[in-house]
Structures are given as C-alpha cells and as structure tokens.
Amino acid sequence: MPPTATPPVGPAGPAAPDRLTECVVVPRFIATAATPSLVQARQLVRAAGLPNVLHGPEAARTPSANTYRLWGAVLARTERPDAGLLAAADYRPGLLDLFDYLLSTAPTVGEGLGRAASYIHLVSSNSVLTSTESGDEVTVEYAVRRGDDELRGVVAEFALSVVTLQLRHATGTALTPLRVSFTHRRPRGHGGYGEAFGDAPVDFDAEGDAITLHRADLERPLATADPALAAIMMRTARTVQVPRADTDGVAVPGLREAIITQLPDGRPSLAEAARRLAVSPRTLQRRLGESGTTWRAELDAVRRERSADPRHAGGGSAQRAARLGFAESRSLRRAMNRWDARERETGQQADQAEQTEQDRETECDREWGRRA
C-alpha cells in the first residue's frame, strides 16, 4: 500500500513548537556522521547545547529546535552546503532504532513506506511523510511542521537521502527515483546528488521536497521482510508514547529564562527565580527535587550552555564572567575546570562502554564461529 498515513494532528491544528521532539538517535546520527571522530562529535554536540545525546538511552527525546541548532553547528564547522547528503551517506540499517525495523520487515516497498509514514513520529514528531499518486507515478513528500528557512534545504536533503538508502538496503537493489525535487535553490558547488539519488534528475525551486517513484516500485518485495519480527515491531510501535519535551530544556518550565535574566546582575538566586515564576522559594525547591535536580545544578547547566555559545564568547575573561553571572573571572575559571573534568569523565565512560560492547560483539562472533 502507498504511504498515505501521517502523524496525527490535534483538533487545534499542528502540534505546538514545544511539543515537537525527536528521538535522540537522530541528532546522534547527525553528529557522528558529520565528524571523523568521537572526540569531534562530542565537541559538535556540546557547541549545539546537546552534550548528552551521544550517550543517552534510545528512548530519550530532545526538542526539534535542538536538532536544528545542531545542523547550524554542522554547517558552521564543515562549511559544506551538502552536509545533509554527506551525513546521510553514513546511514546503516538500525541507526534509527525501531523506525528502521518497521520499514525493513514489511513485505513490500509500498507497505514499508506506509509504516514509515504512520510511525515517523517515533523519530521526529516534527516530520511528516505523505504520498500522492498520479498515473504511473507515486511522489513521496517530506515536510516539517515547524522548521528553519535557512536550514530547510540541508534537512530535506538529509531526510530524503536517508529514505532512499533505507529502500535500497531493504530491497537489496540500487533503487533509483524517477526524479527528486527540492524547494530550495541549487547550492553553488554542490555535487553529491548522483551518489545519493543515482541518475535521477534533481529539480530545485519546486513546490515540495520529494522523491518520485514508479507505481510498480511499490510492489517490489523487500529482501529484509520478516513477518514474525514485523508483528513484534508493530505491537511495540503502538505502545510507544512520545513524551513532550520540556518547553525550555530544564526541569521547571520557565526556569531557564528566570536564570538568564539574572545573569547580568552577577548574583542569580533561587529566591529571585521563584519570584519571577510567581511561586514561593519552597515550592520551587520542591519542584526541582521532584525532577531529580537542584537549583545549583540548573544554574550550572545554563551557565555551561551559554559559555559554549559562540555568540557569548567575545571579550575578556572579566566580561565573559559577568555575562555568565559570576562575580569575578576566577569563579568562571573554576567552573570551566569543573565542566572540562566532567566532560572528560563522561567521555572516558563512553569510551569504556564502547570498548566493552566491541569486546562483547567479538566474543559473540567467536562463539558463533566455534558453533559453526
């Protein structure tokens, strides 16, 4: 069946911006594909204000706005207009977790695309996948509920390239669209379309971002089809509840802004934050405790995030300290030493976990070899 289903839209219209989230596997994929090493990937996500996406559980979500900020950091670092296609080229089955298996275990291309359209919210509640049939053609269009005009092109190229690669892996063929269309203008010096879409003609300044297939392509059987696993994947997908991300990325809605507005004063306090949030200091402390955090931890997190933002990096150490709400530059240096130590510890733990996983996989391979 063609992919006609889309993520549900509430009666009041499209989801509010603060409800649009993405599974952590999406920014993780982007960051690791856009950099040649894990160290640089860590630097990239830290610059984008997403220090935990490389190590968070697959069920974790992040606001879609954070992923756009990550794309901005990718473009700033690589200075490549084809960054979306380059990142997508690193796609491998399973990188998108449950979403990948919903498509790959289906019996045909059409059925797989239909499941991808129905459950795309598992990877991004900001994304919409639809199809339109006309004669012998089926156009599969990608869109977002809320985006960034400057980054629209790189995001669309990434998404449609990944969809094409998913179909190629699942069919075991070099499936090529009839044509590809993008709403943005053709970037200068941008030549990665042949590798991504084969010899399909690519149109720009189009009405939508889409790939067009032969209607007959929908009947292609998938080499990865697995009815038993597909039933399990579908049951699992139906039970997944996509949580709403915090509106401002901290434990208590509005707390981040209440902290930021105090930074220029040099003495941010819980009492003043509570006043700005129209609650008592005791109530604010209780809410923070219920969220498993503290005032000091949230203040530290906001300072750390803003210290990594290039827009706040200018000036001398005294000026930077003042912008981050420190009374003196010495306090800023101590905080930065603490942040760096924490980052090194997190990186070492991640490296150890990765090595343990590799050792486990090696041992499994040996065991299978002995059994064979």
Side-chain angles (χ1 to χ4, degrees):
M1 61 176 287
T4 55
T6 64
V9 178
D18 63 308
R19 293 182 180 272
L20 301 176
T21 64
E22 272 143 16
C23 180
V24 71
V25 298
V26 176
R28 180 183 300 167
F29 174 22
I30 295 168
T32 54
T35 52
S37 70
L38 187 58
V39 172
Q40 292 187 33
R42 290 180 190 137
Q43 294 172 346
L44 189 64
V45 296
R46 188 165 62 244
L50 294 166
N52 299 320
V53 300
L54 297 182
H55 319 301
E58 280 69 16
R61 308 285 295 193
T62 184
S64 293
N66 289 356
T67 306
Y68 276 97
R69 191 161 63 241
L70 176 61
W71 275 121
V74 168
L75 290 178
R77 175 181 286 265
T78 63
E79 297 183 341
R80 294 285 301 262
D82 56 349
L85 295 182
L86 291 175
D90 269 13
Y91 169 80
R92 298 293 181 273
L95 282 177
L96 298 180
D97 201 48
L98 176 61
F99 180 74
D100 272 345
Y101 295 103
L102 284 170
L103 188 155
S104 65
T105 58
T108 64
V109 167
E111 189 68 29
L113 285 172
R115 295 177 187 181
S118 295
Y119 291 99
I120 195 170
H121 60 277
L122 293 177
V123 286
S124 173
S125 62
N126 191 32
S127 297
V128 180
L129 200 64
T130 57
S131 72
T132 303
E133 297 186 19
S134 178
D136 293 331
E137 299 179 357
V138 176
T139 298
V140 181
E141 183 172 354
Y142 173 80
V144 296
R145 300 184 188 279
R146 186 180 180 89
D148 183 311
D149 289 342
E150 293 183 2
L151 296 172
R152 177 177 181 136
V154 68
V155 172
E157 291 183 358
F158 171 78
L160 290 177
S161 182
V162 167
V163 170
T164 303
L165 285 168
Q166 286 178 311
L167 296 179
R168 288 175 175 172
H169 284 293
T171 60
T173 67
L175 186 148
T176 299
L178 280 174
R179 61 181 173 276
V180 181
S181 63
F182 294 110
T183 58
H184 58 276
R185 296 180 179 178
R186 176 186 288 274
R188 294 181 179 178
H190 189 343
Y193 299 106
E195 183 175 351
F197 304 110
D199 57 3
V202 181
D203 300 324
F204 296 89
D205 294 313
E207 293 183 358
D209 300 306
I211 57 174
T212 298
L213 307 173
H214 284 288
R215 184 191 290 269
D217 286 331
L218 299 180
E219 303 303 322
R220 288 197 188 199
L222 299 188
T224 52
D226 187 328
L229 182 57
I232 296 172
M233 294 295 101
M234 291 291 286
R235 286 200 300 270
T236 302
R238 294 190 189 104
T239 64
V240 173
Q241 297 292 322
V242 177
R244 170 180 175 175
D246 289 334
T247 59
D248 49 18
V250 293
V252 179
L255 179 58
R256 183 174 182 274
E257 283 70 22
I259 292 174
I260 290 174
T261 55
Q262 294 186 68
L263 293 182
D265 298 333
R267 295 184 181 277
S269 70
L270 181 145
E272 177 60 19
R275 188 188 69 80
R276 293 174 183 271
L277 294 172
V279 298
S280 70
R282 181 175 295 181
T283 297
L284 178 55
Q285 284 183 319
R286 176 175 55 79
R287 290 181 181 177
L288 289 169
E290 291 171 348
S291 300
T293 186
T294 64
W295 160 256
R296 181 58 56 186
E298 294 304 315
L299 173 59
D300 200 52
V302 171
R303 282 171 163 167
R304 184 179 183 183
E305 176 190 332
R306 289 176 74 80
S307 73
D309 191 330
R311 294 173 297 179
H312 306 293
S317 58
Q319 291 175 301
R320 292 188 63 200
R323 283 198 297 268
L324 294 175
F326 291 103
E328 55 184 6
S329 58
R330 184 167 44 186
S331 299
L332 171 59
R333 286 196 298 272
R334 286 198 297 266
M336 294 185 70
N337 289 336
R338 184 173 67 251
W339 298 335
D340 289 342
R342 191 181 306 160
E343 180 68 23
R344 286 194 299 271
E345 181 181 357
T346 301
Q348 290 169 358
Q349 292 173 350
D351 290 341
Q352 291 171 359
E354 184 176 355
Q355 184 61 51
T356 300
E357 184 64 24
Q358 291 176 353
D359 293 343
R360 187 182 296 114
E361 291 179 357
T362 299
E363 183 58 33
C364 288
D365 290 342
R366 290 174 179 168
E367 178 63 23
W368 279 108
R370 287 193 292 268
R371 293 181 181 181

